[in-house]
Amino acid sequence: GTLNDSRGGTTVSQAEPMLSMSTVSEDGCSSLASPWGLVEPYDFPDTGRGLRCVRAVAEGEELLAVPLEECWHEMAARRAPELAALADASLSETDAIALHLLLERAKGDGSERAAHLRSMPPVYDSTLFWSEAELAHLRGSDWLPPSRRL
């Protein structure tokens, strides 16, 4: 599939592997650029860690391709031998992926995804987990209604 960026017509598509998570460096970022150098890791002041283009790109030019096998997805989670006992459980897609992630994190450096896991933040905060008292700080902002819908 292809995703067109509404801001510049940039295209991201599934294609032959250009990037393997095994290229992630010990710090989780510094070598996460494609062999063609179209993207590099970057800490954006307002939004945090992400990838940015290192040069102007043409409309339709492929920026980054990641093989499905390198992604966290339900099918991979359900194929994990350690989770086989839960095959008949009525786990949601999200729960299956979360269990797979926790399983791989528990393996430490023995996980094939160890470098990727080290690059992930150790904690995560979202208004999804906020109490009513914390949500009250958003009163009067445009962020309160969508935060409550979570």
Side-chain angles (χ1 to χ4, degrees), residues 100-122:
H100 189 210
L101 195 145
L102 291 170
L103 170 70
E104 291 301 318
R105 182 171 276 176
K107 292 179 183 178
D109 288 337
S111 171
E112 291 179 9
R113 297 172 180 237
H116 183 212
L117 289 164
R118 279 192 301 274
S119 74
M120 297 171 80

Side-chain angles (χ1 to χ4, degrees), residues 33 44-45 47 49 53 58 63 66 69 73 77 80 89-90 101-102 113 123 137:
F44 295 92
T47 57
R49 183 185 293 184
C53 292
L63 303 178
V66 179
E69 300 81 47
H73 59 90
S90 58
L101 195 145
L102 291 170
R113 297 172 180 237
V123 296
H137 293 287

Side-chain angles (χ1 to χ4, degrees), residues 5-28:
D5 181 339
S6 61
R7 290 171 290 153
T10 327
T11 303
V12 178
S13 64
Q14 268 186 338
E16 290 301 311
M18 286 175 34
L19 168 75
S20 169
M21 291 316 291
S22 62
T23 64
V24 176
S25 65
E26 287 304 312
D27 69 4

